[in-house]
Amino acid sequence: MSCCSKGYCDFKFPEGPPLVDNSIQNLNATYQFLPYGSLLQEGEVVRIWMESGKTKTVILEQKLSLEVLAYGFRVLDDTFEKDLPWQLIAFDSGLDYEDMMHWGTHPLFNAQMLPVVMVYQHPIEPKPILKDHWLSFLYKMRNLGRS
């Protein structure tokens, strides 16, 4: 898959879990605004990606359908009672906050498609401790003379 027709960022994604439709701003993103919805389901293991071609496997914790209002959005799930951090959602999605909040008047707005906010859960990645670094160093030293 190429992200642009001119070949400036010509890369292919390796096989793995399904990719989210749009790219994100950074691989530690918790939220993503998708203006045209998504077929991905809650609890599914997916890959978020950046325009540089880097990917990260995450779990889709929540998928919140939105109703577009004059300014902003309303979550269509009546059981959802939290306020969403819209500025963080815009930042993680790589969108301008004002453009996102006025989505109903945006030139790319499609009234037939419900926008969604995806909430991602990042798996815990253990950080290497000093012992791991030391053992790695000793392993390299032991194998230094071998060819």
Side-chain angles (χ1 to χ4, degrees):
M1 167 192 289
S2 175
C3 67
C4 55
S5 61
K6 304 238 187 262
Y8 296 117
C9 47
D10 191 24
F11 56 86
K12 299 208 182 291
F13 292 113
E15 293 297 319
L19 289 163
V20 177
D21 301 334
N22 296 355
S23 66
I24 53 159
Q25 194 69 21
N26 66 60
L27 290 179
N28 293 321
T30 305
Y31 301 96
Q32 187 176 21
F33 173 73
L34 296 174
Y36 308 115
S38 177
L39 296 175
L40 300 171
Q41 298 299 315
E42 290 181 2
E44 195 171 351
V45 175
V46 299
R47 284 184 297 167
I48 54 178
W49 59 281
M50 295 174 51
E51 288 183 1
S52 65
K54 295 179 183 178
T55 65
K56 184 175 182 182
T57 303
V58 295
I59 299 168
L60 179 54
E61 187 175 342
Q62 287 183 309
K63 177 180 167 182
L64 304 168
S65 296
L66 304 172
E67 176 186 3
V68 180
L69 303 174
Y71 182 79
F73 303 95
R74 184 178 72 84
V75 177
L76 292 177
D77 183 5
D78 293 332
T79 61
F80 187 79
E81 297 179 2
K82 294 189 321 184
D83 287 332
L84 290 172
W86 292 108
Q87 290 179 334
L88 181 59
I89 293 170
F91 176 76
D92 284 350
S93 303
L95 299 171
D96 181 54
Y97 173 73
E98 291 299 322
D99 283 347
M100 188 178 78
M101 296 313 286
H102 292 99
W103 185 248
T105 60
H106 196 278
L108 298 175
F109 173 67
N110 182 350
Q112 307 301 319
M113 305 296 288
L114 281 179
V116 296
V117 167
M118 311 283 251
V119 182
Y120 301 120
Q121 176 186 5
H122 294 263
I124 297 173
E125 298 172 2
K127 304 268 188 230
I129 57 175
L130 182 60
K131 179 182 175 184
D132 295 332
H133 290 294
W134 179 247
L135 291 174
S136 173
F137 173 74
L138 290 176
Y139 178 77
K140 287 178 186 175
M141 293 302 291
R142 186 185 81 179
N143 294 326
L144 202 62
R146 297 181 186 174
S147 296

